[in-house]
Amino acid sequence: MSRYLTPSKVGLLVLISLYTDSVVPSTATIPVLSFLISYLLPIESRSTGDEVVSPHGDLTFTVDRFRKATIILASGIPGRTIWDLLLKKLWEINSFDAFHCFFDTLPSLLEKTIEESQNVDEDRVANSKPILLSRVSPLGVFVRKARLEFTRLQFHDAISLWKNFVSYRASTLHLWKRRNPTAGRSSFDSNLQEDRLTMDSRLAGLVYGDITDDVRKEPSISTDEVEKLLEYQIEQMQKMGNRLPPFMKYQFQKMVKASVTIPSLSHYLQFLDSWKAGDYTSSFDNLHRYFDYTMHNRDRTFYQYALLNLAILQADFGCYSEAIIAMQETISTARENNDMGCLNYSLSWLYHFSKAHPKEMGQGQDKGILGTDKDALAFLKAKAKETNMWSLLSTCLLSEAKLALSDLARRGRYDEAFIRINEVDQESLRTLKYYQYWTAYVGMLKLQRHLHKDNLVAAEHVLTQIQAIPFLGKDMLFIITTLEIDFHLRRQDYSEALSVLEKLALKLNEEEADIAQRVKILTLKASIFDRAGITPKGFSVALRAANLAHRALLLPGLWEAVGAVGRVLVSIKEYDAAAKLLESIMPQVLECEDCDIAGRTFCFLADAYMGMAGLAQTGTLQRKERLTKALEVIDRSFDEFSKIEDINGQCEMMAKKATIMHLNGDLILANDCAAKYLDIKRAAKEVV
């Protein structure tokens, strides 16, 4: 098997030479160039028709394809088609010497360099081709590479290529006889004709004994073509995540066996196929074989990729601790070799692995190797743009999209969130994993909206559906469970809410939960105690949550926990302390842009002001000021709850506002607030 040149590529060179002779009219220029380019472009950019792989698995193409493409095209010579001229030019290469001469003339098809133009004489300029190819054009690059590869051939390899070309061209002998009646079985070599030797002679048998009139059965493909096809197939397997069909596997084995040197990519292809088949032993063995060959030829340049593939393989088969060790070594090696692409991909993989398996990360996560979510994503996205790693950038954008959808939902922008999520290309949802995640996010948005609208029947239906989706990430399962707890709280089923929370806390303790999740669990527990009427019992829980969030610098969780502490202070009639505490965090709460946290914090602050007003004497200025402050924060709380369409929150604020108006003696405004309360309830029922 030749390293690059094949008989079909020699045919392409002959057609290019014919094109530069200016015998191709303008009407045939585009079809001829299209035919040439279709075989010179990379495999992934070609059509999926016969040009890539024929039904019989042949990588190259026969002379008949030249005939079909050019026989319908008229040439610049009257009465002759492009095929007639091509056939003549093919048979003019009638000896091994002529074969050499043909390749020696290939540089004349190209434009001269500046140095060559200065040294060229007038005779050579006069004998130059009418059409010259740019040295950097697809045709020019192909001609230059073919010429270079031919000069590198050993003598026996050049003889083998010549014999393959003779066999490749033999099927057109009967067509050549129509134009040249003297042609015979030995017309492929002018030396045999000049010495009047037949194919049965001893000399002909010694040189061409393995050639017959039929096309040789062994494939005339090059190692370069096999490697390109392997690269294309590997790319498809990595993109689609599927295995090789049995027929394709047989054809690849057949091609590889025909090669003297087995391409190292064949081991990587077998590694991917074994991996997808769940054969850990074979995949591990083939991976080592591939990188053993690679490192032998390229020193340690690709050592980090061996470790990267090893880490991914071990993680897929459940060997998480070994995967983390291999990935950390990958990061170190990539830094040493200044391989930013491998380094960025490894950091991205480690980031997502930490989200899926926080327990296995162990000390690495506690030491802050990856930083916070936003910092890690910002770093990875910046590096992906710098190095043009679009796959890594898409992964980072996907993670940002998850955070963005959550932010849109927390701000009450449900319609915008649904528009964004419905803009996802339907073709990408054909993959089951992507479709499951997409369905889960749609379900969570709908569930949260139904809960806020107090539509508990629809919420229960959606909750049942998304809980049945398999293979979701742990972060998504945590969000779904917290929404389930909120569902039970709104049904006033506090015992069930506490039971679900305890199960979740136990599970997360076994898995070494993320600190943000621990803070959320503690805050939810304090909220359950508050809803159940035993608010003081949640004091220690809220303090633990605030302390944990403060140590980890989780600001949204910290403000939510401090708000829970303020609610406990109100319940034990420490109104002044509660007001001071809640007032101090309100600017930071608003910066978080979480309408639910802001609405509840304003509500707790209003309760503190009301408590302080209750301690003041009736009719005093101090009492009026505190009632006025309570009204202001109630309005702010109502606005926040309105943004997220929280019906219960809006109604609670209207009820409190009506109570204050009644205490102030303004019965008309009190009745207006009561009417608005009823309107909100009525509108919610009509929507349901």
Side-chain angles (χ1 to χ4, degrees), residues 70 74 172 330 495 504 543 611:
T70 58
T172 62
T330 301
S495 60
L504 177 61
L543 280 179

Side-chain angles (χ1 to χ4, degrees), residues 51 86 100 464 586-587:
E51 289 80 6
L86 178 62
H100 265 276
T464 304
M586 281 314 303

Side-chain angles (χ1 to χ4, degrees), residues 578-588 605 609 629:
K580 291 180 179 178
L581 180 65
L582 296 173
E583 285 175 350
S584 65
I585 67 169
M586 281 314 303
Q588 290 80 9
L605 184 57
Y609 286 145
K629 287 184 177 181

Side-chain angles (χ1 to χ4, degrees), residues 27-47:
T27 55
T29 299
I30 293 180
V32 169
L33 291 179
S34 299
F35 177 81
L36 291 169
I37 292 298
S38 66
Y39 290 102
L40 298 181
L41 289 178
I43 295 177
E44 59 270 17
S45 60
R46 303 179 190 173
S47 64

Side-chain angles (χ1 to χ4, degrees), residues 427-473:
E427 287 296 322
S428 62
L429 297 180
R430 294 176 62 184
T431 303
L432 178 60
K433 183 178 179 181
Y434 298 157
Y435 179 74
Q436 288 175 340
Y437 272 82
W438 182 86
T439 305
Y441 273 106
V442 172
M444 286 190 295
L445 286 173
K446 289 183 177 180
L447 175 59
Q448 192 169 8
R449 195 172 196 179
H450 286 316
L451 289 174
H452 286 166
K453 287 183 173 293
D454 202 29
N455 187 3
L456 299 183
V457 176
E460 185 176 14
H461 179 68
V462 175
L463 178 62
T464 304
Q465 288 182 327
I466 61 177
Q467 284 179 331
I469 301 175
F471 309 117
L472 293 178

Side-chain angles (χ1 to χ4, degrees), residues 102-349:
F102 172 73
F103 279 94
D104 290 339
T105 59
L106 289 181
S108 64
L109 308 181
L110 305 171
E111 291 180 342
K112 307 301 178 185
T113 62
I114 298 177
E115 293 78 8
E116 291 175 342
S117 300
Q118 294 175 349
N119 298 329
V120 72
D121 54 24
E122 296 181 358
D123 293 336
R124 291 182 61 187
V125 172
N127 296 328
S128 63
K129 292 278 186 177
I131 298 178
L132 295 178
L133 304 175
S134 172
R135 305 179 72 88
V136 296
S137 66
L139 298 183
V141 171
F142 173 65
V143 170
R144 289 166 57 198
K145 187 170 184 179
R147 163 66 176 165
L148 178 62
E149 292 294 335
F150 185 78
T151 58
R152 289 178 174 177
L153 287 178
Q154 300 292 328
F155 179 76
H156 66 278
D157 293 329
I159 288 292
S160 178
L161 178 61
W162 163 246
K163 290 181 180 179
N164 287 333
F165 177 71
V166 170
S167 298
Y168 181 78
R169 185 185 55 184
S171 61
T172 62
L173 178 59
H174 66 286
L175 299 174
W176 177 237
K177 283 183 177 180
R178 296 178 185 176
R179 296 292 181 184
N180 189 3
T182 61
R185 291 180 58 193
S186 60
S187 298
F188 61 86
D189 193 333
S190 59
N191 296 304
L192 296 178
Q193 288 183 322
E194 291 175 1
D195 295 337
R196 298 181 181 181
L197 297 174
T198 63
M199 290 300 297
D200 298 330
S201 64
R202 185 177 178 182
L203 180 60
L206 182 63
V207 179
Y208 298 109
D210 54 348
I211 293 182
T212 62
D213 288 339
D214 298 326
V215 179
R216 290 160 62 101
K217 294 183 179 179
E218 59 219 47
S220 297
I221 57 178
S222 64
T223 305
D224 178 75
E225 289 171 330
V226 173
E227 288 181 349
K228 286 182 178 179
L229 190 57
L230 287 172
E231 290 175 358
Y232 173 72
Q233 188 59 49
I234 288 171
E235 180 184 357
Q236 294 302 309
M237 291 180 68
Q238 291 176 332
K239 183 185 299 183
M240 306 303 296
N242 52 6
R243 295 182 60 195
L244 275 177
F247 172 76
M248 288 294 295
K249 188 184 298 185
Y250 169 76
Q251 295 298 334
F252 276 123
Q253 291 175 352
K254 184 179 177 182
M255 293 176 187
V256 170
K257 288 180 180 179
S259 175
V260 177
T261 58
I262 299 177
S264 59
L265 279 176
S266 63
H267 299 300
Y268 193 76
L269 184 67
Q270 293 174 2
F271 152 69
L272 289 177
D273 190 62
S274 302
W275 179 15
K276 301 302 179 184
D279 189 350
Y280 178 79
T281 305
S282 298
S283 58
F284 192 81
D285 183 53
N286 284 301
L287 180 63
H288 273 277
R289 285 184 183 180
Y290 170 67
F291 282 103
D292 284 344
Y293 282 110
T294 303
M295 289 180 61
H296 178 72
N297 297 328
R298 304 180 184 178
D299 298 326
R300 290 176 58 89
T301 308
F302 284 78
Y303 179 57
Q304 62 268 24
Y305 291 100
L307 295 169
L308 176 62
N309 281 270
L310 180 61
I312 297 174
L313 175 66
Q314 289 174 332
D316 197 56
F317 284 100
C319 305
Y320 299 127
S321 57
E322 292 84 352
I324 294 173
I325 294 173
M327 189 57 71
Q328 289 174 344
E329 190 174 352
T330 301
I331 294 173
S332 300
T333 309
R335 284 196 181 116
E336 291 177 5
N337 295 333
N338 199 25
D339 189 343
M340 299 307 298
C342 182
L343 177 61
N344 295 335
Y345 184 87
S346 302
L347 291 172
S348 175
W349 186 92

